[in-house]
Amino acid sequence: MRSSLGKDGICGVVAAVEARGMQKQLQQALRLTRTVELRLDWLRDDRQVARFLAWLRRFKFPAGMALLATCRRIEAGGKFAGGVVDQLAILRLAIECGCSWADVEIESAQRLRAGGLRRLLGPGGRMVSYHNFVRTPRKLETRVKRLEQAGGTVVKVATQCNTIADSLRVLKLASRKVRVIAVPMGEAGLPARILALRAGSALAYAPVENATAPGQVSLEEMKRVYRAGELNARTRVYGVIGNPVGHSLSPRMQNAAFVARGMNAVFLPFLVRELRDFLGAIRPLGIAGFSVTIPYKRLILRFLDDCDPLAAEIGAVNTVIVHGGKIHGYNTDYVGVLRALERRIALSGSRVLIFGAGGAARAAAFALARSGCSVCICARRPARAKALARKVGGEAILRARLRRENFDVIVNATPAGMYPRADESPLEAGELNCRLVFDIIYRPLKTKLMQLAVRRGIETVSGLEMFLGQGMAQFELWTGKRAPEAVMRRAVLNALKK
């Protein structure tokens, strides 16, 4: 199946408004894959189309390369404003210039009589595609049959997946005997998009530069971070669940660790809008463990089959192991807090303010209280601050008192200031009366809160240290192997530089 569509299953998508940009992206794509889609509808006018195809005719194709030509009309979510005849004329010319396949959307294909695609496209391979950028409709199998009837020797189904369950239905199409390209679109469909080749999809798409559909990751990420073309039935699947989750660098960190330890495993970001939606995907996707972030660290407790006593006492779980169909909860944020602070300050006897009362704050409060700190809690909701303070034998403090109080350490355990809202700070400069500020946020590396602290001559600790600490502990829980700290740190720092 895959050989006829090129040497590689991962298809780089080239899309630019000018011929020169298309040429540049094609050459970039060929460094990573030998299968490339040319989005000719992105070229801004007929002159740019002609210029690019003239260049393509002279281009020396590498061995094993397959080019797919697409000129999607506006009616099907593309940019080409012309009619069907003009569209097919461009695709036929693209085939004459060396493209192996032409992708024609069902809206155009159905306007032709039987055999029309074959006559108009000549010797090129015929792909007929269905796109729905709003939802994943029912009866996807019926859609596949219509695509085949319209003349497709390979068919593609790409739909917006608003839930993980939607993405599983699209992925199921890949197991059919006919050649199907299954493309779950949208952020909720991203994990299934990465797993599509493993499931049997003929191709998986990834843009070189410009995203051409919602929920895409770049060609570089698809190849080097997720290694989508190398995944197989024995690959162990892990992930991080949250809402939002797109900012998370856990995939970069954990996937680098898997490679360093020579493991057949992949770590994926799951946008979860409803916990039951994700939990229903554990068995179909073969998920072996996952990380839990905002806003599910406390809510996940209701769904666990077993919970580590410390995590139960904290009342928050950030790590889950799946074993024998049962899910077991742990808390490694506790470890991350201690690893971040122990090297910078003597904790025993220190007075610490924790700003926030959510899952991360609870882990920090228990960790620091057990290390001999005098713990104070301040939160937007005073009742929650009091409840957490009682749990750890600490003190709840109203925000109005902060300008008159002094601490050894202030810990921000809220998401305020996290990317993309990096211009925010949870506290004002006048409230930072301490020796050390620790912000659990790691993106950006230097938060607005940390910048305010530096201006006042206060030492700072980045959330990167906690992130690494808790991530290393997670890796060791999931795999039983020692975490490669240097590799994980480098992966996160490199990602933060981009």
Side-chain angles (χ1 to χ4, degrees):
M1 177 193 302
R2 194 171 294 172
S3 61
S4 64
L5 287 166
K7 180 181 176 183
D8 298 309
I10 299 176
C11 180
V13 181
V14 169
V17 296
E18 293 185 348
R20 185 175 299 176
M22 294 283 283
Q23 296 166 22
K24 176 186 172 185
Q25 287 186 31
L26 175 56
Q27 290 165 332
Q28 285 179 255
L30 291 175
R31 297 178 193 140
L32 294 169
T33 184
R34 285 291 182 265
T35 304
V36 180
E37 179 188 44
L38 304 175
R39 286 296 301 267
L40 301 174
D41 55 305
W42 272 61
L43 289 163
R44 67 184 178 206
D45 54 37
D46 292 343
R47 184 179 177 184
Q48 293 298 326
V49 172
R51 182 175 295 174
F52 174 69
L53 291 179
W55 174 86
L56 188 65
R57 191 185 292 274
R58 300 188 302 271
F59 184 68
K60 187 175 181 180
F61 287 31
M65 177 177 174
L67 286 183
L68 287 65
T70 299
C71 188
R72 188 156 300 126
R73 296 171 59 238
I74 291 173
E75 181 185 1
K79 295 178 178 291
F80 185 66
V84 175
V85 173
D86 293 333
Q87 173 195 29
L88 293 175
I90 290 173
L91 292 175
R92 175 63 182 256
L93 182 57
I95 288 170
E96 292 172 359
C97 291
C99 289
S100 310
W101 290 82
D103 177 354
V104 182
E105 59 270 19
I106 186 71
E107 291 84 354
S108 293
Q110 286 185 328
R111 296 190 182 185
L112 304 173
R113 294 180 180 178
L117 274 185
R118 187 183 303 110
R119 289 193 303 274
L120 290 169
L121 295 179
R126 301 180 306 281
M127 183 185 301
V128 179
S129 57
Y130 166 76
H131 295 79
N132 191 318
F133 294 93
V134 177
R135 62 187 179 88
T136 298
R138 296 179 180 180
K139 299 181 179 180
L140 288 175
E141 287 282 350
T142 302
R143 305 277 178 179
V144 171
K145 290 177 182 177
R146 288 178 184 170
L147 293 170
E148 293 171 335
Q149 292 167 358
T153 52
V154 171
V155 302
K156 179 170 72 173
V157 175
T159 67
Q160 173 69 22
C161 297
N162 297 313
T163 64
I164 298 170
D166 283 345
S167 73
L168 296 181
R169 291 198 294 119
V170 176
L171 209 58
K172 191 175 179 181
L173 296 175
S175 64
R176 296 176 88 255
K177 292 182 180 179
V178 298
R179 292 189 285 185
V180 176
I181 300 172
V183 185
M185 294 192 295
E187 193 177 354
L190 176 56
R193 177 188 281 268
I194 293 166
L195 295 173
L197 294 176
R198 185 185 79 155
S201 178
L203 290 178
Y205 292 83
V208 177
E209 287 186 7
N210 300 311
T212 56
Q216 289 180 328
V217 295
S218 71
L219 178 60
E220 184 270 339
E221 287 180 280
M222 190 73 100
K223 289 281 289 190
R224 293 180 172 162
V225 176
Y226 297 107
R227 311 179 319 284
E230 302 172 29
L231 309 182
N232 55 42
R234 294 183 298 278
T235 301
R236 296 177 69 82
V237 178
Y238 299 90
V240 54
I241 69 169
N243 186 9
V245 77
H247 68 283
S248 176
L249 295 183
S250 289
R252 291 263 180 180
M253 176 175 69
Q254 299 292 1
N255 283 315
F258 291 148
V259 171
R261 290 292 180 255
M263 297 183 62
N264 183 6
V266 66
F267 190 96
L268 307 170
F270 289 89
L271 174 64
V272 176
R273 297 187 176 98
E274 207 279 319
L275 259 178
R276 291 186 187 275
D277 180 39
F278 169 76
L279 296 174
I282 289 177
R283 180 169 292 179
L285 294 182
I287 296 170
F290 55 95
S291 174
V292 185
T293 188
I294 296 170
Y296 298 117
K297 291 187 178 185
R298 299 186 68 183
L299 186 59
I300 191 68
L301 287 161
R302 301 180 193 174
F303 300 92
L304 299 175
D305 295 298
D306 183 48
C307 188
D308 176 73
L310 176 59
E313 187 179 3
I314 292 172
V317 160
N318 79 316
T319 307
V320 172
I321 295 175
V322 181
H323 183 70
K326 306 290 186 181
I327 57 176
H328 309 266
Y330 300 85
N331 191 300
T332 67
D333 282 336
Y334 183 103
V335 177
V337 170
L338 295 181
R339 286 188 179 179
L341 291 176
E342 282 175 336
R343 301 172 187 174
R344 301 293 296 273
I345 193 168
L347 293 176
S348 182
S350 293
R351 189 173 191 235
V352 179
L353 171 71
I354 297 173
F355 191 71
R362 296 177 72 84
F366 275 85
L368 295 172
R370 290 192 175 193
S371 296
C373 296
S374 173
V375 175
C376 302
I377 310 292
C378 180
R380 186 166 53 90
R381 298 177 183 174
R384 291 187 67 181
K386 289 179 181 178
L388 179 54
R390 281 196 301 269
K391 279 272 188 181
V392 298
E395 176 188 4
I397 292 183
L398 293 174
R399 183 162 182 176
R401 287 175 50 189
L402 294 186
R403 291 179 181 272
R404 303 191 303 273
E405 298 282 343
N406 286 284
F407 306 94
D408 294 296
V409 182
I410 292 179
V411 179
N412 171 41
T414 76
M418 183 172 69
Y419 174 87
R421 301 173 71 174
D423 59 339
E424 297 180 2
S425 173
L427 294 169
E428 297 175 7
E431 296 171 316
L432 303 180
N433 301 310
C434 60
R435 292 192 292 141
L436 180 71
V437 166
F438 170 38
D439 197 336
I440 68 165
I441 293 169
Y442 65 89
R443 192 175 190 185
L445 199 55
K446 293 182 179 179
T447 63
K448 183 66 177 285
L449 175 66
M450 293 170 67
Q451 293 172 33
L452 293 176
V454 168
R455 289 175 196 158
R456 297 198 63 183
I458 300 169
E459 289 186 62
T460 61
V461 176
S462 167
L464 172 65
E465 301 307 319
M466 176 180 172
F467 180 61
L468 278 170
Q470 61 84 31
M472 290 167 60
Q474 287 179 327
F475 180 89
E476 290 167 1
L477 276 172
W478 289 326
T479 69
K481 298 177 182 288
R482 185 177 178 183
E485 179 176 0
V487 169
M488 297 170 82
R489 180 182 294 275
R490 185 165 57 250
V492 176
L493 287 174
N494 287 342
L496 288 170
K497 291 174 184 177
K498 294 183 179 181

